[in-house]
Every structure is written in structure tokens, then in C-alpha cells.
């Protein structure tokens, strides 16, 4: 018998939902420590003010089904200019394969388009071919930039970028 797939809803977290952000973010760091710059031990010590600050800094989207929060992604304005980044993408292991990462990516791309950003970028960990394929489907291309991960200089991540037109559509890759 096939398990019933419950509908998934994507919501932008409000300023008062710091506890939801904390819960899902810590679950992400525990599940996939090699995929993130941050470490579980560091963020587990954060209090209400740090989590509230994270919420104010960007647009955080959570995926929910009837079991609760099952995914997270955020759009964060760049400190260096008008080009925001997609950060913190994660889907719970029990919810993978249901298109939730696609829904979360779509939410962040929509946020960037609404903000009239010229482009959206992200960093994807080496070896995370599933994520790279997803992002390529959305029109992200590798930029050639690479950065080492903080805990292991031999491991790294590559930058991907998607140009946006004035109408919010991907620009020609040619």
C-alpha cells in the first residue's frame, strides 16, 4: 500500500514565528551538517533575539503538511548589492521526493522577482547533485566561483546564479 501524500503549504514566516524558524533550522543542521556553513552547536545556543533578527533579515519560507513543518528556505538581501541569495534550503528526510524543494525554490524566486532584483544567487555544496539539478531546472547556472566549507577546506560549494528580467522571467542564457 502506498503512503498517502498530504498537501503541502508554503508560508512566509512572520516576525512572531521565531520558534518555528528555530525548530526547523536546527532540524536541518542536525540532519545535513555538511550542507550548511553554520553548525548545530552554535545555532542551538541562540535565543529569541537572534532568531527574531534572522526573521527580520530576510524572507523565510516554511513548508508545512499535516505533520508540521517539513522544509525551509530563505531569501536574504545581499550586503554587497542588489542581488539577493537563496539560503538555508532544506527538506525533512521523510518529506523528500514530494516536490517540496521545488515549491520552496519557487517561493524564494517569487520573492526576488517581487523585490525587482536583477538576479538571484545561491551556493550549492559539492556533490549535492540533486540540489544542483533542481536549481538548473529553475534557470540557475554555475558561475565558476567556489568557496571552501568552514569545517573542511577540502569540501566546498559552488555559486549558482539566475538572471531575472524586468518581468521576472529568466533571461536568455545565450
Amino acid at each position: 500500500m502506498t503512503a498517502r501524500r498530504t498537501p503541502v503549504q508554503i508560508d512566509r514566516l512572520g516576525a512572531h514565528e521565531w520558534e518555528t524558524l528555530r525548530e526547523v533550522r536546527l532540524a536541518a543542521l542536525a540532519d545535513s551538517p555538511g550542507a550548511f556553513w553554520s553548525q548545530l552547536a552554535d545555532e542551538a545556543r541562540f535565543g529569541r533575539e537572534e532568531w527574531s533578527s534572522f526573521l527580520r533579515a530576510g524572507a523565510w519560507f516554511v513548508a508545512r503538511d499535516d505533520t508540521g513543518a517539513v522544509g525551509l528556505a530563505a531569501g536574504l538581501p545581499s550586503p554587497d548589492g542588489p542581488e539577493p541569495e537563496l539560503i538555508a534550503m532544506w527538506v525533512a528526510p521523510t518529506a523528500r521526493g514530494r516536490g517540496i524543494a521545488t515549491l520552496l525554490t519557487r517561493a524564494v524566486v517569487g520573492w526576488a522577482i517581487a523585490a525587482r532584483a536583477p538576479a538571484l544567487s545561491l551556493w550549492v555544496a559539492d556533490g549535492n547533485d540533486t540540489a544542483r539539478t533542481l536549481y538548473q531546472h529553475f534557470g540557475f547556472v554555475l558561475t565558476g566561483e567556489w568557496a571552501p566549507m568552514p569545517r573542511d577546506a577540502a569540501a566546498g560549494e559552488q555559486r549558482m546564479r539566475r538572471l531575472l528580467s524586468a518581468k521576472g522571467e529568466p533571461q536568455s542564457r545565450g
Side-chain angles (χ1 to χ4, degrees), residues 26-159:
L26 294 181
L29 293 171
D31 173 64
S32 304
F36 300 101
W37 277 73
S38 300
Q39 294 185 7
L40 176 61
D42 294 334
E43 291 195 13
R45 290 191 295 262
F46 292 168
R48 180 182 184 148
E49 186 51 43
E50 286 93 352
W51 293 108
S52 295
S53 178
F54 284 163
L55 282 170
R56 288 189 303 271
W60 290 85
F61 296 92
V62 66
R64 293 183 173 109
D65 67 11
D66 63 355
T67 67
V70 294
L72 183 71
L76 186 67
S78 171
D80 302 327
E83 188 173 307
E85 287 190 345
L86 186 158
I87 64 165
M89 171 66 76
W90 177 77
V91 175
T94 57
R96 292 178 184 154
R98 295 173 47 196
I100 294 170
T102 296
L103 296 173
L104 288 165
T105 302
R106 188 175 293 138
V108 175
V109 169
W111 166 81
I113 290 168
R116 304 181 88 45
L120 180 65
S121 62
L122 58 88
W123 291 86
V124 62
D126 292 342
N128 192 343
D129 296 333
T130 301
R132 185 182 326 273
T133 299
L134 167 72
Y135 299 139
Q136 287 171 333
H137 173 76
F138 273 90
F140 287 88
V141 295
L142 291 168
T143 67
E145 296 171 73
W146 183 88
M149 295 298 273
R151 292 171 302 286
D152 180 1
E157 56 185 0
Q158 296 182 357
R159 185 172 182 249

